[in-house]
């Protein structure tokens, strides 16, 4: 299933859209949580549907896009439905993710209400194929050359119909396609992969904020990632890039501070012949290590990042071993959903007697420790990608560069204040997310202008005010 959600000026449904988004303006954090938990409901509310087979050629896909009622498209969120969160291949039912993401573009970043155009090319989920009530195409997914031809046709049609300045966000593609597609199109199209780039930028922002509590510089710490998929490797790479920027050292000299661990153990040089290409830059010289506890003790870690999705991997002995090595350690338990979290917030604080900077991929309850109330902070990509999309609009960026990702991380980290740190937070509260998005957009846009990637001229004098002026606000017109 290839599905694309198209961000557009939806004048025909302007009134119900205002009714939908006006409540979110009052409690954005609740809106985000509800949307993450029940995006399928948003699909039913917001989406018109088209189903087409994967035998279409480039001209037919282009005709479908031309037949879409909206002409002013700013953002496309596209998925093939193969890796929906921790749920796997959902076929056409994965459409809730791109629609949900576009709803967040509207609520958090101010893009006008969105319409969605799904193109169904099948599923490999046998349960769905055998389900008499499955509404999608009953055929296996395109693979290999056929799959890449379909994506090429889609990307070509998007550029032909909407021009070069529409942002295409790849969402929930499986590892074996995600890295290849991003690498293939990042120089020729305006593309962004939230699972790779958005997650990395988000985590780097949390790390930059956490260092204000822990102390020292990025290069003074040693990091281990449990889980070597899109998230783990992309986070490690962006941290290494920021470290290279801070120290002036080549990135090759910064990568050895990052250690990655998969199901077969620590990624080390002796395994390099059997590793996938995206894992090879992280194969450092070290004896093989199979267990996480052994890796913690051997590498003398200061930071542990979980992206495996396995659940309960940061056990008490592992966390206590890190606590014995550090006065203040950092634990980012990013695996989703909550039932698969690497450890809970309460466990992290209890096992370290509160000497930890903690964030998670899922929202946890408030923790009371020694008379102090600690508020859970969620590492949520919704902090990053809406502001990134707003940057594209205000700058007319033609490509997304790594330096723009670093700028987004730095801008978000700058929004965390002392009162947030006092509550255990390393991200600002969602209550001010639209102002945060404007700040991120302004800093990323400034970087796009600096790099010569911005096409919207002249350069606005005040990028923050300009970003705010470009935001959609769900209010009714006054006729008096």
């Amino acid at each position: 299933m290839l599905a694309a959600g198209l961000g557009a000026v939806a004048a025909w449904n302007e009134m119900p859209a205002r009714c939908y988004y006006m409540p979110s303006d009052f409690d954005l954090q609740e809106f985000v949580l509800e949307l993450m938990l029940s995006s399928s409901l948003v699909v039913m509310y917001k989406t018109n549907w088209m189903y087409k087979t994967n035998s279409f050629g480039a001209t037919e896909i282009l005709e479908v896009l031309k037949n879409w009622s909206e002409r002013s498209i700013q953002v496309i969120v596209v998925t093939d439905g193969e890796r929906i969160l921790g749920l796997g291949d959902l076929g056409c039912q994965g459409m809730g993710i791109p629609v949900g993401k576009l709803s967040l573009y509207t609520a958090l970043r101010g893009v006008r209400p969105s319409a969605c155009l799904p193109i169904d090319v099948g599923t490999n989920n046998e349960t769905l194929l055998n389900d008499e009530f499955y509404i999608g195409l009953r055929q296996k997914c395109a693979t290999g050359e056929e799959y890449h031809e379909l994506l090429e046709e889609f990307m070509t049609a998007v550029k032909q119909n909407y021009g070069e300045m529409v942002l295409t966000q790849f969402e929930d593609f499986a590892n074996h396609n995600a890295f290849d597609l991003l690498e293939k199109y990042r120089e020729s199209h305006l593309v962004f992969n939230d699972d790779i780039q958005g997650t990395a930028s988000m985590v780097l922002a949390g790390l930059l904020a956490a260092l204000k509590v822990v102390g020292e510089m990025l290069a003074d710490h040693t990091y281990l990632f449990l889980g070597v998929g899109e998230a783990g490797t992309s986070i490690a790479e962006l941290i290494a890039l920021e470290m290279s920027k801070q120290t002036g050292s080549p990135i090759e000299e910064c990568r050895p501070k990052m250690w990655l661990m998969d199901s077969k153990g620590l990624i080390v040089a002796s395994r390099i012949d059997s590793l996938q290409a995206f894992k090879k830059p992280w194969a450092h010289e070290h004896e093989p290590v199979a267990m996480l506890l052994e890796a913690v003790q051997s590498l003398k870690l200061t930071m542990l990042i979980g992206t495996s999705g396995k659940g309960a991997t940061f056990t008490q002995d592992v966390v206590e071993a890190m606590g014995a090595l550090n006065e203040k350690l950092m634990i980012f338990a990013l695996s989703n959903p909550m039932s698969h979290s690497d450890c809970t917030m309460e466990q992290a604080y209890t096992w370290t007697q509160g000497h930890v900077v903690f964030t998670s991929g899922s929202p946890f309850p408030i923790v009371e420790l020694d008379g102090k109330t600690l508020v859970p902070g969620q590492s949520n990509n919704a902090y990053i990608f809406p502001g990134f999309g707003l940057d594209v609009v205000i700058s007319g960026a033609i490509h997304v560069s790594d330096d723009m990702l670093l700028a987004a991380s730095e801008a978000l980290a700058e929004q965390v204040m002392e009162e947030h740190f006092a509550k255990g937070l390393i991200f600002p509260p969602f209550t001010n997310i639209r102002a945060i998005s404007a700040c991120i957009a302004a800093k990323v846009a400034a970087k796009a202008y600096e790099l010569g990637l911005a096409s919207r001229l002249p350069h606005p004098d005040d990028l923050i005010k300009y970003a705010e002026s470009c935001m959609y606000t769900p209010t009714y017109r006054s006729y008096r």
Side-chain angles (χ1 to χ4, degrees):
M1 198 277 287
L2 181 66
L6 306 181
V9 179
W12 60 272
N13 71 343
E14 190 172 343
M15 185 176 293
R18 284 175 177 153
C19 292
Y20 178 71
Y21 285 109
M22 280 183 75
S24 74
D25 203 35
F26 295 108
D27 192 346
L28 286 170
Q29 187 162 352
E30 185 67 21
F31 175 79
V32 171
L33 180 58
E34 290 296 327
L35 188 59
M36 293 299 187
L37 295 177
S38 57
S39 57
S40 59
L41 297 178
V42 182
V43 177
M44 298 302 294
Y45 172 78
K46 287 178 64 61
T47 308
N48 287 340
W49 296 81
M50 292 184 183
Y51 290 96
K52 301 297 178 184
T53 70
N54 62 335
S55 59
F56 269 24
T59 56
E60 286 85 356
I61 292 179
L62 180 60
E63 285 305 309
V64 170
L65 295 179
K66 284 182 176 180
N67 287 336
W68 197 242
S69 59
E70 306 304 330
R71 293 290 179 262
S72 180
I73 302 299
Q74 295 175 334
V75 181
I76 297 174
V77 179
V78 59
T79 183
D80 65 358
E82 190 172 358
R83 189 197 66 84
I84 301 296
L85 297 174
L87 304 175
D89 182 351
L90 298 187
C92 70
Q93 292 159 179
M95 194 56 206
I97 296 300
V99 176
K101 286 296 179 80
L102 285 165
S103 294
L104 293 177
Y105 269 109
T106 299
L108 309 186
R109 166 276 207 210
V111 68
R112 287 187 172 274
S114 308
C116 295
L117 173 63
I119 305 174
D120 182 5
V121 298
T123 177
N124 291 330
N125 188 323
E126 291 293 338
T127 301
L128 294 178
L129 290 172
N130 296 324
D131 186 347
E132 62 178 310
F133 297 109
Y134 178 59
I135 62 174
L137 194 66
R138 294 178 187 275
Q139 69 177 46
K140 294 283 188 179
C141 286
T143 58
E145 185 176 349
E146 182 185 7
Y147 176 88
H148 287 284
E149 285 178 356
L150 176 66
L151 263 296
E152 178 66 23
E153 290 163 3
F154 177 77
M155 296 300 291
T156 300
V158 164
K159 184 179 269 191
Q160 281 184 273
N161 200 48
Y162 301 121
E164 294 188 346
M165 289 186 291
V166 58
L167 176 65
T168 301
Q169 177 174 315
F170 295 125
E171 189 71 29
D172 284 335
F173 284 75
N175 290 345
H176 58 275
N177 290 320
F179 289 104
D180 290 344
L181 291 173
L182 183 60
E183 189 62 31
K184 178 178 180 180
Y185 292 110
R186 68 185 305 168
E187 297 298 328
S188 58
H189 293 68
L190 182 60
V191 295
F192 174 73
N193 187 306
D194 190 42
D195 304 301
I196 295 175
Q197 296 165 298
T199 299
S201 184
M202 179 71 215
V203 176
L204 175 58
L207 176 54
L208 293 175
L211 290 177
K212 297 176 185 177
V213 178
V214 176
E216 302 182 308
M217 302 290 289
L218 278 177
D220 298 319
H221 292 273
T222 303
Y223 311 82
L224 188 141
F225 298 79
L226 184 63
V228 193
E230 294 176 26
T233 52
S234 58
I235 297 166
E237 182 70 6
L238 201 65
I239 293 174
L241 279 170
E242 179 70 14
M243 193 181 296
S244 173
K245 176 183 173 182
Q246 289 184 4
T247 62
S249 303
I251 191 170
E252 292 78 12
E253 294 180 12
C254 298
R255 288 193 183 114
K257 299 292 291 185
M258 251 65 65
W259 294 87
L260 277 65
M261 198 169 193
D262 62 11
S263 59
K264 296 179 181 178
L266 199 64
I267 304 291
V268 293
S270 60
R271 293 178 53 193
I272 198 162
D273 291 338
S274 63
L275 294 174
Q276 294 166 279
F278 67 90
K279 296 182 180 181
K280 290 184 177 181
W282 313 103
H284 310 316
E285 291 293 339
H286 196 281
E287 61 187 31
V289 176
M291 304 302 292
L292 179 57
L293 177 59
E294 185 183 352
V296 168
Q297 295 169 332
S298 174
L299 298 171
K300 294 181 170 49
L301 299 178
T302 55
M303 182 170 193
L304 191 56
I305 302 173
T307 60
S308 68
K310 299 299 182 185
T313 50
F314 295 174
T315 56
Q316 184 171 353
D317 56 351
V318 168
V319 174
E320 288 180 345
M322 280 195 68
L325 293 168
N326 301 280
E327 182 179 341
K328 192 91 167 177
L329 61 149
M330 295 177 284
I331 293 180
F332 284 18
L334 305 179
S335 296
N336 280 318
M338 189 183 294
S339 59
H340 292 184
S341 184
D342 310 276
C343 69
T344 69
M345 178 177 173
E346 184 175 12
Q347 288 170 337
Y349 278 108
T350 301
W351 294 338
T352 63
Q353 293 76 51
H355 299 295
V356 63
V357 176
F358 177 86
T359 192
S360 59
S362 298
F364 282 106
I366 288 173
V367 171
E368 299 285 346
L369 185 70
D370 298 330
K372 187 176 182 180
T373 300
L374 298 167
V375 181
Q378 186 185 2
S379 180
N380 193 320
N381 286 20
Y383 278 106
I384 290 291
F385 71 81
F388 219 91
L390 181 56
D391 150 64
V392 171
V393 174
I394 67 174
S395 71
I398 56 175
H399 299 303
V400 172
S401 74
D402 290 332
D403 284 330
M404 291 163 68
L405 297 173
L406 297 181
S409 300
E410 293 163 2
L412 179 56
E414 289 169 0
Q415 304 301 308
V416 189
M417 306 300 172
E418 285 300 325
E419 61 264 30
H420 304 142
F421 292 131
K423 297 177 181 178
L425 294 171
I426 55 171
F427 297 108
F430 253 105
T431 51
N432 202 29
I433 188 62
R434 284 169 71 97
I436 293 168
S437 292
C439 289
I440 292 173
K443 188 151 187 175
V444 176
K447 180 59 66 173
Y449 279 107
E450 178 187 328
L451 297 173
L453 297 177
S455 62
R456 193 175 303 282
L457 298 173
H459 184 308
D461 294 330
D462 190 325
L463 283 169
I464 292 180
K465 285 186 177 179
Y466 184 62
E468 291 171 343
S469 72
C470 292
M471 285 182 165
Y472 168 80
T473 303
T475 55
Y476 288 95
R477 298 184 183 94
S478 175
Y479 293 96
R480 293 185 178 179

